[in-house]
Structures are given as C-alpha cells and as structure tokens.
Amino acid sequence: DTAVSQTPKYLVTQMGNDKSIKCEQNLGHDTMYWYKQDSKKFLKIMFSYNNKELIINETVPNRFSPKSPDKAHLNLHINSLELGDSAVYFCASSPLAAEKLFFGSGTQLSVL
Amino acid sequence: EDKVVQSPLSLVVHEGDTVTLNCSYEVTNFRSLLWYKQEKKAPTFLFMLTSSGIEKKSGRLSSILDKKELFSILNITATQTGDSAIYLCAGNYGGSQGNLIFGKGTKLSVKP
C-alpha cells in the first residue's frame, strides 16, 4: 500500500486554467505538507497543516490554496495558472513533532 | 537568512569508489539535520542527526554532524550504480515540526 499518494502524477494545462492536486496519507500522521521542486531541483516548503489546521504558509501567491478536509488528506488548488508554476509538487506527511517526512511520488505540472 | 549549502553540486565516480558529500547550514533555532535520497521521484529518508560527533550508519552509508562548525557529511563506501541519485540535506529550523529548509542537492552518478 502506498503510504503517501498524490494524483495526478502528471498535469499538463494551459495558462489561466485552474487545477487541483490531491494527496492522501494512510500512515496516521498528524501533519501534512506541500513542497515545490523547481527545475533546478530546489525543494521548498509551501504549506504545512497539522490536524487540518494551517501552521506554515510560506510566501506563496494566494492563487495557491490548500484544503484539508481531514487529517489524512491535503489537497492543493491552483487558480489562474502561470508559466512559472511549472514544477514538481510533492505532498509529504510526518508524525506530530517529528522531522522525518514521508514524501509522495510528486505531481509534475507543466503550464503551457 | 536560513540557508543550507551542499557541495559538490554534482559528482561522477566509478563503482567501488568512496564518496563524501558535504552540507553546511545556517539555521536559526536549529533542531536537526536530515539527509534524503531522491532517485526518480520521491525523496526518501536516510538519516536524522541531532547530536554532534555521533555517527549514524546504515549499511554502506554513514553520516555525522558537527554543530560547532555547522556542517554534516554523508559518506558512501564501495559505491554501486544503485547509489546514483540526488542527495538532499535539510536543516530543521525552529518552531513547528517539519520546518525543513533544503539544500540544492548533490547529484551523484556512479558509473559501472
């Protein structure tokens, strides 16, 4: 069973569109994250949720909106996609008060 | 500003060689330093280091932290082609768990 699963794996879309990426973890972890990895492989945190509550919101355009319906799910909705949003987006989870993150396999977003 | 710097950025070796990857950090409220391996997609956890001078080992991989000089090294002995990957170092900076700041990674290529 996949511990942290995110869908879709690939997403190709036009500028200006709205898209969502879904993430689910079956590890029973309390904290979930979204990370962005750019073309230079630089991995940077975007959001962190602890038990459905937002605890980290780095400097991310407000076109990006995370939603956590329950502690096992953290979805990412992106409005008005721009070329610069092209990247790989990773979902991750960790137990409470633990730094060891478990990553999903990533969603490669290409904005044309 | 918090930062994590890895060197070298890329490295090409032959099977059987020993490699040392470097990670220096400037992280406020430092809690721990983590190493991840990223092959095709998701980064996978290797080590978490919190105390200076205590080596962590897993098979041919080992890592150590120097909190005085603010760096860590990851050693891989008797490298194999399966060790080819990007190795990411991350510092955990204050506040909530999972506040990881990643370095840009070292791309290791092991030739047969």
Side-chain angles (χ1 to χ4, degrees):
Chain A
D1 284 342
T2 304
V4 182
S5 59
Q6 53 182 109
T7 54
K9 288 192 189 313
Y10 300 95
L11 191 50
V12 181
T13 188
Q14 300 286 332
M15 275 176 60
N17 283 350
D18 302 338
K19 290 292 177 186
S20 292
I21 308 172
K22 294 186 175 181
C23 179
E24 175 182 5
Q25 54 97 2
N26 62 8
L27 297 166
H29 289 165
D30 294 297
T31 310
M32 295 185 72
Y33 314 83
W34 279 108
Y35 278 81
K36 178 181 179 181
Q37 188 171 45
D38 60 25
S39 57
K40 295 180 180 177
K41 301 294 184 186
F42 194 37
L43 197 60
K44 192 167 182 185
I45 191 166
M46 299 173 70
F47 301 103
S48 167
Y49 267 74
N50 183 9
N51 216 357
K52 301 194 297 175
E53 285 189 30
L54 180 66
I55 53 173
I56 295 175
N57 182 357
E58 291 295 320
T59 307
V60 175
N62 58 14
R63 298 182 294 104
F64 290 79
S65 52
K67 283 192 170 52
S68 182
D70 55 62
K71 76 171 195 177
H73 294 84
L74 180 62
N75 303 323
L76 183 65
H77 188 75
I78 316 169
N79 289 327
S80 303
L81 278 156
E82 300 177 357
L83 294 176
D85 298 332
S86 296
V88 181
Y89 292 84
F90 285 99
C91 178
S93 71
S94 72
L96 186 64
E99 295 100 314
K100 180 180 172 181
L101 269 59
F102 294 78
F103 284 87
S105 57
T107 295
Q108 182 150 3
L109 171 65
S110 298
V111 182
L112 307 176
Chain B
E1 184 187 342
D2 295 325
K3 62 180 178 181
V4 173
V5 178
Q6 293 186 244
S7 64
L9 290 180
S10 67
L11 191 54
V12 181
V13 300
H14 287 94
E15 273 193 314
D17 288 350
T18 293
V19 297
T20 297
L21 309 183
N22 303 297
C23 175
S24 65
Y25 64 91
E26 292 177 28
V27 173
T28 51
N29 300 315
F30 174 82
R31 281 171 48 143
S32 59
L33 188 128
L34 295 94
W35 285 96
Y36 284 83
K37 178 182 181 182
Q38 185 174 22
E39 294 178 80
K40 290 176 185 173
K41 282 286 187 177
T44 53
F45 172 83
L46 292 175
F47 297 110
M48 184 170 80
L49 303 154
T50 54
S51 302
S52 266
I54 299 175
E55 185 183 54
K56 292 229 172 169
K57 243 178 123 57
S58 175
R60 296 176 293 102
L61 276 67
S62 63
S63 184
I64 198 159
L65 176 68
D66 185 328
K67 288 169 78 171
K68 183 179 175 187
E69 299 298 329
L70 307 182
F71 78 88
S72 174
I73 59 171
L74 175 68
N75 278 322
I76 309 175
T77 58
T79 51
Q80 301 171 357
T81 54
D83 295 327
S84 295
I86 295 172
Y87 290 84
L88 297 166
C89 173
N92 186 338
Y93 62 98
S96 322
Q97 68 282 359
N99 284 12
L100 298 183
I101 179 167
F102 282 85
K104 293 186 178 179
T106 293
K107 184 178 180 181
L108 175 66
S109 300
V110 182
K111 305 292 184 188

